Each structure stands twice: as C-alpha cells, then as structure tokens.
Amino acid sequence: MTLFSPNIDCVDLTLVVVAVERAVDRSPDGLTYALPPKLSELPEGARVEVPLGRGQTPTAGWIVRRLAANEDTGIDREKIKFVLGQDPSGVVLPGELVQFARWMSGYYACPIGMTLASILPAAVRKAIGRTERTLIDLPAELPDVSKLTSRQRKALGVLATIPRPIEIGDLAKAADYSSTEPLKRLIVSGHLLAVKKTAVEAGFIARAGNIAKAPVATAEQLAAITAISLDFGRFAQHLLFGVTGSGKTEVYIRLLEDCVKRGKRAILLVPEIALTPQTVGRISARLIDAKVAVLHSGLTEAQRNQQWTMLAEGGADVVVGARSAIFAPIPDDSLGLVIVDEEHEPGYKQDSAPRYHGRDASIRRAQLAKCPIVLGSATPSLESYLNATERKISALHRLSTRAPGLNTPKVTVVDFAAERKEIRDRGVHLIGPTLRASMAKTLDDGGQVLLLLNRRGYANYIACTDPRCEWMLTCSECDAGMVCHLDSAGAQRRSYVRCHHCLAEQLLPKACPDCGKGVTVFGLGTQRVEEELTRLFPSLIEGETMLRIDGDTMQTSAHFHSALERFGSGQVRVLMGTQMIAKGLDFPNVQLVGVISADTSLTMPDFRASERTFQLVSQVSGRAGRGEKAGRAIIQSFEPDAPAIRLAASHDFERFAALELADRKNFGLPPYRRLARLILRHTSETECADRSSALCEEIRSFSGVVEVRGPSVCPIARIAGKYRRHIELLADRAADISRVLAEARTRGLLKLGEELAVDVDPMSMV
Ligand code: ADP
Ligand code: ZN
Ligand code: ZN
C-alpha cells in the first residue's frame, strides 16, 4: 500500500482525525489522516490502523472526526498519510460514545487515544470467543427447480417455512436427509445460499434468583418513580436518598421496566463485584421480558466479548455492571435512563488513567443522551447532596423509612477504652463483652452475624520487644509499615510480613536487627479476629460455620459469590471481613452486625475520613434487621463521641451532612471547591523535588483564578521505590481547573505515565 499520494490535493479525499492509542500527548486531540478511496465510508468511531512516526509503524487508533470537504486543517496536504485499513476486530463505536470519550479526555486530562483504548475491553479487541459459522438461506431469486429431485424440492419447501438462516445440519434434519451432501450440491447449483455469520460463543452466565413478584410500592416509592418518569426523554438529575432497606432497588426496577416499555435502553451501575451477584439476580428475576446484559470483573474474556457484542448489536435492553459499564456500546439515540446505585462508593473512581469517576461520568453520559440520571444512596456523597439541596441542580427524593415488614436496626456505640478496663485477664481482646454477649445470644436464637474489620492480615505493627529500642519494621521500598499475615498451610503456622502498597513479602524476622532482642506484633487484622472468634466460640468452625471475607481469601468473584451463597443458605452463621461485607448485602436472617473498630477509617490522612466513617458505619449497620426479627448493630470505638460515629448510630444523615459541609466550606474543600492533584513520582528524591517545583512554577504563570498549592510531599512519601510529591489545584468552578489543565497539556507539561499522574476530583489523597 502506498503511504504517500503524490498529488493528494487533486483528488477528493476524505480527511479524518485519528486518535492514536499510544499515549502521544503532542496532539492530545488526534492526528489528521486521509482515507483511501475504498475506505472512504469509514464512520466516526471506527477502529483503524495508521502509520505513525518516521518508521511508519502501523499503530491502532480511532476515527474521532471526519473533516468537512473544505475544512482547513492548517497541515501541508502533501504530508498527510493514509489510513492503512480497518482494524480486524471490525469495531465501530457509537457516535455518542466517541463524543463521551472526547469529553472524558478533556475533563480528566488524558490523551484521547488512551481514553478510547480504555473504553474497549481487551476481549473485544482480541475477538475472544468469536467464531464464524456458515448458515443456509434461500437465494433472492430461485433458479429453475425442474431438474431437482423431489426430496431436494421438499428441502427447499421446508426452508421456506422455517426461520432462516439455518445451520446446514439442522436443515438436513428438518428435510429428513441423513447427510448434508445433497444440500451442499444445492449451494453449488445456486438453489441455496451460503451466508457467513459471526457470533461470540461463551459459557452461560448464571442468573441467580427465581422469577419474583412485584410488591405493592409504598407512597414514597411511588412519588419518586412518578417524578423521575416525568423526565423521560430529557436530561435531568435525580438523587434517591433512601435509608438502607427502604426499597431503592424496587424504584430502579420499576424505572427500568418503564424505560424498556418506551423502547429505550438503560444502564445500571453498581459498585465493583460486591453488589453485582445479588443485584443482577434481583433485577433479572423481575425484568423477565427484558434482555439484561452484564459487564463486571467476574466474567470470562469470552463472556465479556459476548455481552459487549450483544450490546453493540442492540440486542440488550438493560446493562447492569460495574464502573466501566458506563462505556457500554449502546446504539445512538437509544439510551433512555442511567442509574448509579450506591453513588457515594469511592470504588467508582478509577485509579489509572483516565482517572474518571463512574458517577460523574454517568451524569455526563446521560446529558449527552438527553435522558434522566438517578443517583441512589442511603449515605449520599456530599457532592451529590449539595447538588440536590443548596445548589438545586438535582431533584431530591427521600425514602425515609424501611420497606414494609423491615425494622430499623438499633445501633449501640461501645466505648472500647472503658470496656477494655473491665476485662481482667491480660492479652489481646478485639471483641469486647457487649459484642461477645450479643453474639452469643444471636447464635443461640438461630440468627446470623456479620462482623466488620476494615483491615486485612493479622497485625499491622511489627516492633522490637524492648520499649527502649525504637525499631519498627517498615517496607524497604515504601514509606509505610508492613503487615503481619499468618500462613495456615499445614499444621505449623508460619508468619510472614507484607507491604500493602508494593506487595513485597518476607518472613517475619525473629530478632530485632538493631539490638538483637525479640520481635512483637500488635494492632488489628481480620486474621486476629478470626483467631479470637475460635477461642470465644468453640462451636464455630472456620471455613464451615464461620467465614472470613477479605482480599486475601476472596481472590476471585467466584469465591465471593460462593461465600455469599453459603451465608444465604444459613450454613454459615458468622461472616467476618473487610468492607466487602459492608455493602449492599440483603440477607433477612442477619440479626446482629458488629464493627470491631470504627476508628480505622477515622484516622486516615484524608479530608473525607469523617464522611467515609459515617458511610461505613451506616451501611454496615443497615445489613441488620432485613427480615421479620429485629436487627441490632454494635459499634466498638475508642472515639465514641466522634460525630461521624454518633450520628451514624442515630441514623441522622442530615445533621452529619450539615456539620461536615460547614467544615468543608470553612476550609475551602470539595464539594464547595473543585480539586485536582498532579502527582509526580521519581526514584531520585532530588529529581522528584526539582521537577515538581519547576512544574508548579510554570503552572503558576498561567493559573489565573486557580489556586496552586504545593508542591508538597505526599502523605505516603515513597511507594515501590519512587518518591512522591504533589501539586494541588483548587478553584470554585470546574471549568477553571479544566482551562489550566488544557493549557498545561498544550504546553506539553502533562505527559502521563510512570512519572506523572493527573487526578481530577481525587477520591484518594495519599
Ligand atoms: P435498599 O436498596 O434501599 O437497601 P432494597 O431494595 O434492598 O432496599 O429493599 C429491601 C427489601 O425490601 C427487599 O427485600 C425488597 O424486596 C423489599 N421491598 C422493597 N420495596 C417493598 C415494598 N414496597 N413492599 C414490600 N417489600 C418491599
Ligand atoms: Zn512496600
Ligand atoms: Zn530492638
């Protein structure tokens, strides 16, 4: 293929802007190419191969814009190269998705090619599971049949009456042939038509849940449903603020039904794995007439490709999925509703470029599709709450009581410092007398227990036994302590230590390297709770009636799914674990929820620490009392008077939000101001310092109304051998931050990669 056309400007060639997938931020919006005549019809959204650089290296990219015939590109036409061809995957993204990617690229300061690359699942790009089959159809005009045998004529007659195209073997059977040979002869003679059809084959995706009947909606549910349905056909924001167990899912289901009935499609986002199995089951059990696609991390590659292809071909009405399902390739002009469940979840934020927030991106996607968006939560993010109250850019719907038949759990905060004094024997106690007594009673009554501790491992401090020696084990590559884990392989327990930041591992040292004395471990961890539970309740058997759920035991979503099934069946009596168990679970026999320590999230170096703690305590308490029996929650804390804990216990979101918002306003923090972080990383400390100072200085030269703070050392100063500094941009309006980031990109200052990350609206501050 010729790459250069000698007289490109004499011919009427179509010029296109191509976003190259490799992160070239030299031209963040794409490069101009020409379409060769036989590809001149390629639409926007098509994945193509283009020559790149001096070596003309074939590189994948996307057509993001077709230029008008007379559009002036300002580029020397002689130098424009040709698109090499369409990508073998044949993928063409819907126009709305291309537009969405363009917005995302600008807002999150990520090159457009990189953004588009992250939209397309690898499974689709590699066409995993795609097969090509040959099917049989009737030709448009049937040649003379007088020379055919009567059985051949019969076969043609059969084919005329059944759904076509059909597998050749199936037609042979239908026409009573024992072989396909006579039919193959009909293809040669032109009496039958062979058509090629591609399909993606994948294992069946199990759908939990039997067909369920709809309950009678409550007045509050009806009010929300009615108000939201009035906005079908136009963009409008809605916040569904419903306490845990108030029936938010019921509201989603009815809106989804309504949307499908109107011939439109819908996206429902749920936080990563934790909620997916139960929510998907409940939704598909009710939407029996709708085709529900799922997109989440628990799918095999072939399944992911199959679901994606089904969506792209318009074969699904509703897609339920985690964060990235906001990139579902729904055909243009057919998206009618977007719902984000548990919109406050920090897991909606992606922690690699593009660092988008699934909720915020959803709002934009709905805006582009001109359809309503519903954000649902029992503990709305302060961003969404402010939008619905003071700012009034979103409607607010409340579900103030639990669904009929459900009780509000009684929440008790235990002052753990006081309780510890009462315990006479020495040693470690993670479960105090109040929680212990309540657990014993619940188990006697046949109830189930959920126990939360938001920390993996056995203990998170490893130090010298001699209090005068100051040695503490820290990671050699990170500015952080290491966590002790037990390895229960075999009878002999072996302890090792792991860094939760860089995942480095080593055996637990036997002696202090500084003074030679012994080593002690202290602090909290789920493994230690497990050990204590076995001691306190000898009848509980780990792995049978008691399960630990954390990132160490639940390596795949299949593990998690099966653990939840065993809990649902009643076989498992106590489910203990990290925040994975705190969210969205709906098990009617949970009569007690215990929080081992509410303080782990309170002490994080993050301005959202209080908000997180409130959410965690409210959400986990909300898992109790979802059946006929009353539910109870016991929260252990060394800071029982912290407003986040006290107000979560009294179910008082409004008071908490008022207090916290006042603080944020005082300190000029989100949601009142917008924030972006530029994080610089380097193996050399001085290089890191010099580069961040230089970048900061340059940005200040054009920052205008945007406040530039820093550079300063990140709360975790070094991770995996790299020193870290950050610059913070703050402004009253998001548009001002966008302007500064755009200018920085144009000046070539923001080359994303190992050494620089840009985080707009960050959810993590470390
Ligand atoms: P949320 O999502 O707000 O936590 P769910 O949607 O999980 O609440 O509802 C909690 C329980 O109440 C579910 O078992 C659901 O089937 C039931 N439920 C919801 N709405 C009603 C209703 N109107 N009448 C009776 N039961 C309901
Ligand atoms: Zn480390
Ligand atoms: Zn020592």
Side-chain angles (χ1 to χ4, degrees):
M1 185 179 290
T2 42
L3 295 175
F4 300 97
S5 163
N7 46 5
I8 199 164
D9 47 359
C10 307
V11 215
D12 265 343
L13 284 172
T14 315
L15 297 186
V16 290
V17 177
V18 173
V20 176
E21 283 190 2
R22 287 225 311 257
V24 273
D25 214 39
R26 232 173 340 123
S27 53
D29 301 319
L31 303 163
T32 304
Y33 285 89
L35 288 177
K38 68 179 167 54
L39 295 177
S40 64
E41 298 304 314
L42 273 186
E44 288 179 5
R47 195 164 188 266
V48 291
E49 257 187 7
V50 294
L52 188 68
R54 267 198 219 117
Q56 311 287 342
T57 321
T59 309
W62 302 82
I63 298 181
V64 286
R65 206 156 69 80
R66 286 171 64 99
L67 299 185
N70 53 359
E71 203 171 322
D72 182 22
T73 56
I75 310 170
D76 183 356
R77 287 205 147 210
E78 296 274 323
K79 292 207 174 122
I80 294 178
K81 297 175 201 166
F82 277 107
V83 168
L84 297 174
Q86 194 174 3
D87 176 78
S89 68
V91 169
V92 178
L93 294 179
E96 274 174 30
L97 210 47
V98 176
Q99 229 185 325
F100 182 53
R102 226 183 274 138
W103 165 78
M104 182 166 278
S105 159
Y107 187 79
Y108 291 105
C110 177
I112 178 77
M114 207 173 175
T115 308
L116 282 160
S118 74
I119 284 183
L120 189 73
V124 180
R125 183 162 38 83
K126 295 188 216 144
I128 289 175
R130 191 169 69 181
T131 54
E132 196 170 77
R133 290 182 304 163
T134 306
L135 301 177
I136 302 298
D137 204 343
L138 284 172
E141 253 174 69
L142 202 61
D144 179 22
V145 294
S146 57
K147 297 233 170 66
L148 302 182
T149 66
S150 62
R151 282 188 67 193
Q152 282 176 322
R153 271 197 293 253
K154 187 182 152 212
L156 295 179
V158 169
L159 187 57
T161 59
I162 55 178
R164 301 186 308 260
I166 180 175
E167 295 268 0
I168 193 163
D170 291 343
L171 177 60
K173 240 181 261 157
D176 289 330
Y177 272 119
S178 56
S179 118
T180 55
E181 283 312 312
L183 295 178
K184 283 185 182 153
R185 282 198 290 277
L186 287 178
I187 298 175
V188 178
S189 65
H191 290 90
L192 285 179
L193 194 65
V195 289
K196 294 223 184 298
K197 206 168 181 294
T198 58
V200 180
E201 287 178 5
F204 178 71
I205 300 170
R207 299 272 155 82
N210 303 316
I211 291 171
K213 260 182 56 195
V216 179
T218 63
E220 284 185 323
Q221 282 173 330
L222 269 183
I225 294 162
T226 315
I228 298 165
S229 339
L230 284 175
D231 279 332
F232 273 124
R234 62 168 174 246
F235 171 67
Q237 298 190 52
H238 294 269
L239 176 61
L240 181 62
F241 167 30
V243 298
T244 56
S246 57
K248 292 185 287 297
T249 313
E250 184 62 31
V251 173
Y252 306 153
I253 289 172
R254 295 203 186 209
L255 289 169
L256 293 171
E257 280 172 342
D258 196 355
C259 173
V260 174
K261 240 182 246 149
R262 292 167 192 248
K264 291 283 189 166
R265 303 190 168 96
I267 300 177
L268 168 62
L269 290 197
V270 294
E272 194 49 271
I273 62 167
L275 287 174
T276 316
Q278 269 204 325
T279 312
V280 174
R282 284 173 68 187
I283 303 277
S284 49
R286 283 284 299 286
L287 297 179
I288 35 174
D289 295 328
K291 288 202 205 74
V292 182
V294 293
L295 286 174
H296 58 79
S297 63
L299 301 180
T300 65
E301 291 285 88
Q303 284 172 333
R304 196 186 319 279
N305 186 14
Q306 182 199 46
Q307 298 290 300
W308 200 92
T309 307
M310 172 164 107
L311 279 158
E313 289 172 353
D317 302 307
V318 174
V319 51
V320 183
R323 180 177 66 221
S324 64
I326 197 57
F327 301 128
I330 292 183
D332 284 340
D333 299 315
S334 72
L335 181 59
L337 175 67
V338 182
I339 301 174
V340 183
D341 188 24
E342 310 289 357
E343 64 85 25
H344 63 276
E345 271 296 316
Y348 278 123
K349 188 77 200 264
Q350 166 139 312
D351 60 6
S352 57
R355 293 172 182 262
Y356 67 95
H357 196 301
R359 174 199 61 220
D360 300 344
S362 294
I363 296 174
R364 187 64 191 186
R365 177 103 205 242
Q367 199 172 31
L368 291 172
K370 300 186 188 64
C371 75
I373 171 142
V374 180
L375 308 180
S377 176
T379 51
S381 63
L382 293 179
E383 281 77 5
S384 300
Y385 190 67
L386 192 71
N387 284 345
T389 52
E390 262 176 67
R391 291 193 175 138
K392 307 243 183 285
I393 56 175
S394 155
L396 179 63
H397 311 279
R398 284 168 209 260
L399 305 180
S400 52
T401 56
R402 286 200 147 189
L406 271 63
N407 304 291
T408 302
K410 182 174 178 305
V411 185
T412 313
V413 180
V414 167
D415 179 349
F416 205 54
E419 268 211 343
R420 279 242 290 228
K421 284 192 198 122
E422 286 170 27
I423 310 173
R424 253 158 284 143
D425 67 307
R426 294 188 55 215
V428 190
H429 298 278
L430 304 179
I431 296 174
T434 311
L435 180 54
R436 179 182 179 174
S438 194
M439 270 190 76
K441 185 167 179 308
T442 307
L443 292 174
D444 277 350
D445 289 350
Q448 288 172 296
V449 181
L450 273 183
L451 283 181
L452 173 85
L453 177 62
N454 217 359
R455 192 167 274 156
R456 279 180 299 135
Y458 183 77
N460 59 328
Y461 294 102
I462 298 141
C464 178
T465 44
D466 185 344
R468 286 165 304 176
C469 171
E470 285 179 355
W471 178 78
M472 249 182 87
L473 182 61
T474 53
C475 176
S476 61
E477 298 302 305
C478 305
D479 196 22
M482 293 184 92
V483 180
C484 176
H485 287 252
L486 301 183
D487 186 354
S488 52
Q492 196 68 44
R493 284 200 149 182
R494 202 169 59 109
S495 299
Y496 63 101
V497 292
R498 184 191 298 159
C499 171
H500 283 188
H501 298 285
C502 72
L503 308 181
E505 264 181 24
Q506 64 183 77
L507 285 176
L508 179 70
K510 291 200 166 56
C512 168
D514 286 0
C515 71
K517 295 218 177 66
V519 166
T520 179
V521 301
F522 53 102
L524 296 173
T526 44
Q527 286 185 320
R528 190 166 231 179
V529 178
E530 184 176 25
E531 193 180 83
E532 186 164 327
L533 281 173
T534 337
R535 191 156 48 75
L536 295 179
F537 301 95
S539 64
L540 289 176
I541 302 164
E542 167 53 26
E544 288 184 24
T545 51
M546 172 175 85
L547 278 188
R548 171 163 63 89
I549 292 209
D550 58 27
D552 296 330
T553 61
M554 301 288 125
Q555 263 132 23
T556 70
S557 66
H559 287 124
F560 188 61
H561 206 150
S562 108
L564 292 187
E565 235 155 51
R566 287 163 67 194
F567 191 61
S569 76
Q571 177 209 345
V572 172
R573 306 290 307 283
V574 177
L575 200 62
M576 186 266 299
T578 53
Q579 44 161 350
M580 292 173 94
I581 64 161
K583 304 162 184 176
L585 301 186
D586 183 25
F587 293 108
N589 196 31
V590 173
Q591 290 167 32
L592 175 67
V593 165
V595 177
I596 306 290
S597 166
D599 310 335
T600 49
S601 57
L602 207 52
T603 50
M604 286 186 312
D606 188 323
F607 69 88
R608 288 195 181 87
S610 242
E611 187 180 357
R612 290 271 168 283
T613 306
F614 184 92
Q615 289 165 353
L616 196 64
V617 172
S618 306
Q619 293 288 344
V620 72
S621 308
R623 302 310 117 207
R626 291 180 163 249
E628 282 136 35
K629 293 242 179 90
R632 192 166 178 207
I634 292 174
I635 317 294
Q636 303 186 142
S637 169
F638 284 103
E639 292 187 61
D641 293 323
I645 295 176
R646 193 165 39 81
L647 294 170
S650 58
H651 310 284
D652 199 347
F653 175 81
E654 274 99 341
R655 172 98 40 98
F656 173 74
L659 278 179
E660 186 65 21
L661 282 173
D663 266 0
R664 302 278 182 90
K665 200 173 200 169
N666 275 340
F667 292 108
L669 287 167
Y672 287 98
R673 302 189 84 198
R674 303 300 282 255
L675 175 63
R677 273 180 96 202
L678 310 182
I679 303 142
L680 291 100
R681 302 173 281 219
H682 205 278
T683 45
S684 146
E685 191 169 10
T686 44
E687 191 73 10
C688 184
D690 293 349
R691 288 187 185 193
S692 39
S693 302
L695 178 60
C696 201
E697 202 166 305
E698 181 140 12
I699 289 179
R700 279 207 175 94
S701 73
F702 55 82
S703 58
V705 295
V706 173
E707 182 192 343
V708 183
R709 287 188 194 167
S712 54
V713 176
C714 294
I716 300 183
R718 192 172 53 114
I719 292 180
K722 292 215 168 89
Y723 291 89
R724 309 168 76 243
R725 276 174 197 242
H726 64 174
I727 298 166
E728 289 174 332
L729 308 181
L730 279 136
D732 291 342
R733 297 175 332 125
D736 291 320
I737 293 195
S738 291
R739 182 187 55 76
V740 170
L741 290 176
E743 176 64 27
R745 279 174 88 180
T746 317
R747 295 185 181 211
L749 300 175
L750 301 186
K751 294 206 171 54
L752 303 189
E754 281 297 299
E755 289 169 2
L756 175 71
V758 177
D759 197 353
V760 178
D761 303 324
M763 294 304 283
S764 158
M765 304 304 295
V766 298

